[in-house]
Amino acid sequence: MLEAKIINDPVFGFIKIPRGLLYGIVEHPLFQRLNRINQLGLASVVYPGARHTRFQHSLGAFHLMSEAVLSLQQKGIFIFDTEAEAVQAAILMHDIGHGPFSHVLENTLIHGISHEDISLLMMEEINRHFNGQLNLAISIFKGEYPKNFLHQLISSQLDMDRLDYLRRDSFYTGVTEGNIGSARIIKMLNVVNDSLVVDQKGIYSLENYLTTRRLMYWQVYLHRTCVAYEKVLVNMLTRAKDLLRQGEEVFASPALHYFLANDIDAEWFATHDETLTYYGELDDSDIWSAMKAWKHHPDKILSTLATDMLDRHIFKVEVTEEPVEEAHLETIAKEISAHMEISVEEARHYMMSINTISKDMYNVDDDSISILYKSGEIRDISEASELLNVQLLSKKIRKYYLCYQRFQ
């Protein structure tokens, strides 16, 4: 028996990765690339400690999956060794298709294809490398394997992905209110009729988990400053892309240049084999290095946005409950136009951004959390909880973010 590789994780302590297929995945270049992609994108602009990587998160989710499988087996849920290894492999690779800066680039450098779709393409690429040893893992990841609860461990209201990122993001941001009892939730997991349920004793941990998730979204993931900084990045990349299409010279690494120069969607990925190779070479550093060159570009818009990014000169942001009036947008656009000596249209397109962000924390109809009572009765947490205001948690909160260039 080959020894396990041990990694010391600041959140969970020692994580054991068995040598063989699972460690082979960790060593693969497409997985190692996650070391160069920050888990929280640009959130370090508000929380300087938030510089942990997708690599760390994937290892943490793998650790929690190992704990969950063991806990379920101890409760008599039959999971073959091959299934255990497959579901661990699937959670290791669940984020492998993420691009630089988290979700920011999904509608900027690429469109019409999600990071989950790209993750699947990369899994298939790694599977070829391992001569089909990941067939079962891919089947579970896609939700095609007969044991549905294994897929739920990867993707559901209580998947190992969420249990890790909430705990890890809380740790690295210092937002201590976000710390969830992941170990207790895992110990309380059970399976009834091929679906994940939570033993009644775990209800208080779940109440904390759902309220924590709401807090983390509005305090960290959708923080107004983080959103505004992301808009600078998106507008900068959009301007670079437009300049390149107009025949202007724009510095970029080969991988970044490929995505700036081409209109890439799902069909393009399917018909151009080199696209996945270029995507696998793209990480945060490509974009940071490009910014340093763009800061000195003769185009005023690109150089301003690149300087904003590098010098932390973030768009001013106004958050409202109601849609922003057109007259207000026009006034801001004219002020920017006059100050930068660019057209009003350019000011609207590149130096401003208006976004509607809505989020609910729990949807009973979508993917409920079921509570298992000692009597065998199963009830949704919305009925079982005495503390949770599920109407509040399931209400879609909508906010309007107006971000624009500031000059003071």
Side-chain angles (χ1 to χ4, degrees):
M1 183 80 178
L2 293 169
E3 316 181 341
K5 181 78 173 176
I6 296 176
I7 294 174
N8 194 352
D9 177 63
V11 178
F12 296 120
F14 294 113
I15 295 176
K16 291 183 179 179
I17 305 169
R19 291 192 185 274
L21 178 64
L22 294 170
Y23 189 63
I25 293 168
V26 173
E27 286 193 308
H28 194 279
L30 289 177
F31 192 86
Q32 287 294 319
R33 162 183 169 272
L34 298 179
N35 260 316
R36 302 188 298 278
I37 296 177
N38 274 1
Q39 169 76 7
L40 287 183
L42 294 167
S44 59
V45 74
V46 178
Y47 302 101
R51 295 189 176 274
H52 54 300
T53 63
R54 292 263 164 207
F55 180 88
Q56 290 168 283
H57 161 60
S58 297
L59 290 181
F62 161 81
H63 169 73
L64 293 181
M65 182 65 80
S66 305
E67 296 288 302
V69 167
L70 181 62
S71 179
L72 289 173
Q73 285 175 329
Q74 288 171 344
K75 290 183 178 180
I77 309 301
F78 202 73
I79 302 172
F80 292 106
D81 288 347
T82 51
E83 292 170 334
E85 183 180 61
V87 78
Q88 287 171 314
I91 199 69
L92 260 182
M93 298 183 293
H94 78 284
D95 264 358
I96 207 161
H98 261 288
F101 299 101
S102 196
H103 299 273
V104 171
L105 305 189
E106 282 184 37
N107 294 305
T108 310
L109 296 183
I110 57 173
H111 55 91
I113 182 167
S114 68
H115 73 270
E116 289 92 351
D117 296 329
I118 299 172
S119 289
L120 202 49
L121 293 174
M122 287 189 168
M123 285 184 198
E124 286 161 356
E125 176 70 23
I126 297 171
N127 194 26
R128 284 189 282 275
H129 177 84
F130 287 113
N131 300 315
Q133 290 182 70
L134 296 175
N135 287 343
L136 182 54
I138 291 170
S139 174
I140 292 171
F141 180 82
K142 291 163 77 173
E144 295 175 351
Y145 190 65
K147 289 186 178 177
N148 178 58
F149 75 88
L150 292 175
H151 174 72
Q152 287 181 310
L153 288 169
I154 299 165
S155 180
S156 69
Q157 287 274 7
L158 285 175
D159 59 43
M160 299 306 111
D161 172 32
R162 294 184 198 195
L163 290 185
D164 178 80
Y165 76 63
L166 286 172
R167 180 96 182 267
R168 188 168 301 276
D169 297 347
S170 164
F171 178 88
Y172 280 99
T173 56
V175 179
T176 52
E177 299 93 337
N179 195 3
I180 58 164
S182 54
R184 181 161 176 80
I185 291 173
I186 286 172
K187 290 292 181 192
M188 294 296 118
L189 287 178
N190 213 324
V191 176
V192 175
N193 298 327
D194 195 31
S195 286
L196 280 183
V197 297
V198 179
D199 291 335
Q200 182 187 357
K201 289 185 291 185
I203 196 164
Y204 299 121
S205 297
L206 285 181
E207 288 168 341
N208 176 51
Y209 164 74
L210 287 172
T211 50
T212 291
R213 213 166 86 201
R214 183 167 181 261
L215 181 143
M216 286 294 286
Y217 266 93
W218 292 113
Q219 195 168 325
V220 178
Y221 308 132
L222 299 176
H223 190 288
R224 56 191 290 153
T225 306
C226 298
V227 171
Y229 200 30
E230 285 180 359
K231 296 311 166 193
V232 180
L233 174 63
V234 167
N235 290 8
M236 179 192 70
L237 289 168
T238 303
R239 182 60 174 177
K241 196 165 186 153
D242 292 345
L243 289 173
L244 199 62
R245 303 286 178 85
Q246 293 163 20
E248 294 270 350
E249 207 171 290
V250 177
F251 170 83
S253 67
L256 180 57
H257 188 277
Y258 182 84
F259 285 90
L260 291 172
N262 297 296
D263 193 22
I264 293 171
D265 57 11
E267 187 181 348
W268 185 283
F269 262 95
T271 53
H272 295 75
D273 291 342
E274 78 280 2
T275 308
L276 195 64
T277 303
Y278 277 120
Y279 190 89
E281 291 175 359
L282 196 63
D283 56 52
D284 291 3
S285 58
D286 291 81
I287 296 174
W288 283 116
S289 59
M291 281 179 217
K292 290 194 279 186
W294 296 349
K295 182 177 181 178
H296 306 288
H297 197 279
D299 179 74
K300 188 179 293 184
I301 295 171
L302 183 62
S303 63
T304 300
L305 292 169
T307 303
D308 285 349
M309 285 296 303
L310 290 165
D311 296 351
R312 198 185 179 277
H313 192 69
I314 300 157
F315 276 0
K316 187 175 176 61
V317 58
E318 297 174 9
V319 182
T320 57
E321 307 293 325
E322 300 295 327
V324 183
E325 291 184 6
E326 178 60 32
H328 184 45
L329 295 174
E330 194 64 21
T331 300
I332 294 170
K334 285 178 178 174
E335 287 175 0
I336 294 171
S337 167
H339 198 281
M340 290 186 66
E341 297 178 344
I342 59 176
S343 71
V344 173
E345 290 72 27
E346 287 174 326
R348 286 287 291 255
H349 192 53
Y350 299 110
M351 310 312 293
M352 297 172 62
S353 177
I354 179 77
N355 293 84
T356 307
I357 296 177
S358 58
K359 190 75 189 170
D360 60 9
M361 291 302 114
Y362 184 72
N363 190 332
V364 179
D365 301 321
D366 178 26
D367 185 17
S368 62
I369 297 175
S370 299
I371 305 298
L372 175 65
Y373 287 80
K374 287 181 180 177
S375 63
E377 181 191 2
I378 293 175
R379 292 164 67 185
D380 188 87
I381 192 169
S382 58
E383 301 168 9
S385 172
E386 297 170 1
L387 294 178
L388 280 183
N389 184 339
V390 173
Q391 277 189 322
L392 179 66
L393 283 173
S394 59
K395 179 187 173 188
K396 253 204 178 350
I397 298 171
R398 182 173 282 107
K399 294 184 181 181
Y400 298 89
Y401 287 68
L402 168 61
C403 312
Y404 53 92
Q405 181 72 26
R406 65 172 90 208
F407 296 105
Q408 63 275 19

